[in-house]
Amino acid sequence: MLIAQNHLQFIIEVAAIIQMGVILLLNIIPFTLSMVLFLSLILTMFLAGLFSVDTALLFLPYVSHQEFTHPFGPLAVFAWTTLSASASLLSEVDIKSTSITAISLILFAVIAIAGGLMHRSFLILWFLGWFLAYFITSKSFRRSVKITRKRIFTAVGAVIGGFAVLELLAKLFNAEVLSPMLRLSRLEEYALPSIKMVIKNTTLWGHVQGSCYWGANCLGGSDGYITLPMTLISKLTLPFPLFFGVLVVKKDIIDYMLPGIFGIAFDFGYGGLLALLGWCVIVMCCGFYVLRKYRSKRRVGSRVYLGREALLIGALTAFIAQTIVGLFLFNRTINGAAMVTYMFLSAMVIAHVVVVKKSLR
């Protein structure tokens, strides 16, 4: 049936639509390097401004914030990495990119500060994306990758220092929302019982019927712990179970307290988890394969695929970063609205395979 009957079917249908749309987009629009540079700059500046305004609302009374770092955090990694890769590609074709590089560094700092104040999980995502971008671009542009003991200690020190500053700000402004220790205490209190619940009740294709919040009405799978945005489901009037209002606390047991592998396994079973992990491997392998194709064409003098190469570097970096953080650290990084971003980044990588088969044969 074309109309989805549960959350899983709806997720698969939306993913297929996004994938087909992105494939058409990459085949119809000629993404030149100048176009990609301009679009990535605009998107990075927009997200930097959006995160900054949202974070400023944390300190204003009687005003609510929206937490845009959850759905758009990986998109920011994609935009900034694409911008940085575009600047590097300009240098490859002997065009000065000093000003673009300077702007990208400023935007990097703005997004890191604004996003880090909003969510500590974003700070991990952001610096992981930076590390992956550094590694991938170094390989693409024949730069030496030097991971020294000093750099490792510097990176670890920067992360620890960032968390210490957040804890200090939380004390100064009496704002618990900024405190990393609050997050750790909540994990200590809720994570272990949640893991026990998931492991005890997870089956091959879902969970033990009756083990979820709905009790006797539990579907035994696709019960809404892993979903697309609730507003999208509501506007389409789809009859799926949703966690509204105070019920969100029940969803937080899995969505906020556990890594994504536990949430996906509980709602879609071990089979669903293995299918997703297999898809992640396929996306990453395809991405690196196409990237090698683009790189080989560039090194023999072709400039046709420079824009696509920058797009692929950005999408692949953001997809890997979101996969690592979402699956192994914080489920919310790939759940809800963030899942749409995850589908888009996946599609942005896979779509290059279709283009390559047609154009680079």
Side-chain angles (χ1 to χ4, degrees), residues 161-175 178-181:
F163 279 88
V165 170
L166 287 173
E167 187 65 30
L168 178 62
L169 290 174
K171 299 295 184 184
L172 290 176
F173 293 100
N174 194 27
L178 298 178
S179 173
M181 297 305 297

Side-chain angles (χ1 to χ4, degrees), residues 44-334:
T44 307
M45 292 176 65
F46 172 76
L47 291 174
L50 187 68
F51 291 174
S52 299
V53 172
D54 197 32
T55 300
L57 296 180
L58 280 172
F59 303 95
L60 298 179
Y62 313 113
V63 182
S64 61
H65 58 279
Q66 301 300 317
E67 301 186 359
F68 289 117
T69 50
H70 278 314
F72 301 137
L75 197 61
V77 175
F78 164 67
W80 182 84
T81 304
T82 303
L83 176 63
S84 179
S86 298
S88 296
L89 286 166
L90 284 176
S91 300
E92 288 286 309
V93 294
D94 299 325
I95 298 177
K96 290 185 178 180
S97 58
T98 307
S99 57
I100 298 297
T101 302
I103 293 173
S104 70
L105 292 175
I106 294 172
L107 292 173
F108 179 91
V110 171
I111 293 175
I113 294 171
L117 287 172
M118 179 60 67
H119 285 114
R120 271 58 65 202
S121 59
F122 173 80
L123 205 59
I124 296 173
L125 174 75
W126 188 244
F127 282 105
L128 177 61
W130 170 80
F131 173 78
L132 292 170
Y134 171 74
F135 181 80
I136 293 174
T137 54
S138 295
K139 293 295 183 181
S140 294
F141 304 117
R142 293 180 176 177
R143 300 169 186 165
S144 59
V145 181
K146 296 181 180 179
I147 303 178
T148 62
R149 182 180 301 178
K150 181 179 178 180
R151 290 187 175 184
I152 293 174
F153 284 135
T154 300
V156 173
V159 173
I160 294 175
F163 279 88
V165 170
L166 287 173
E167 187 65 30
L168 178 62
L169 290 174
K171 299 295 184 184
L172 290 176
F173 293 100
N174 194 27
E176 288 190 343
V177 69
L178 298 178
S179 173
M181 297 305 297
L182 175 64
R183 167 73 183 185
L184 293 176
S185 64
R186 292 184 68 189
L187 283 174
E188 182 181 3
E189 182 178 357
Y190 296 109
L192 188 58
S194 301
I195 291 174
K196 290 180 178 178
M197 184 196 78
V198 168
I199 294 176
K200 180 181 178 181
N201 295 291
T202 299
T203 62
L204 182 60
W205 298 112
H207 45 259
V208 175
Q209 197 160 7
S211 62
C212 65
Y213 173 74
W214 318 114
N217 295 320
C218 178
L219 301 175
S222 296
D223 272 285
Y225 289 95
I226 304 296
T227 69
L228 286 169
M230 290 192 296
T231 53
L232 176 62
I233 296 172
S234 300
K235 287 181 180 180
L236 294 175
T237 64
L238 296 172
F240 303 159
L242 293 172
F243 290 83
F244 281 109
V246 295
L247 299 184
V248 171
V249 177
K250 303 295 182 180
K251 185 182 180 182
D252 277 351
I253 292 174
I254 288 177
D255 182 38
Y256 195 68
M257 298 300 168
L258 297 181
I261 55 173
F262 292 102
I264 292 165
F266 183 77
D267 221 16
F268 305 136
Y270 292 117
L273 175 61
L274 289 175
L276 177 60
L277 292 175
W279 176 250
C280 292
V281 172
I282 291 172
V283 172
M284 286 185 276
C285 289
C286 289
F288 283 114
Y289 168 77
V290 178
L291 194 57
R292 284 197 300 269
K293 290 285 186 178
Y294 286 157
R295 185 166 59 237
S296 63
K297 288 291 180 179
R298 168 167 52 85
R299 288 175 179 174
V300 296
S302 175
R303 297 188 179 185
V304 176
Y305 307 104
L306 295 181
R308 294 182 184 277
E309 185 177 356
L311 278 176
L312 181 55
I313 291 173
L316 186 59
T317 299
F319 177 81
I320 296 174
Q322 189 176 9
T323 297
I324 293 173
V325 175
L327 290 183
F328 302 105
L329 294 177
F330 306 103
N331 185 30
R332 189 164 291 185
T333 305
I334 59 170

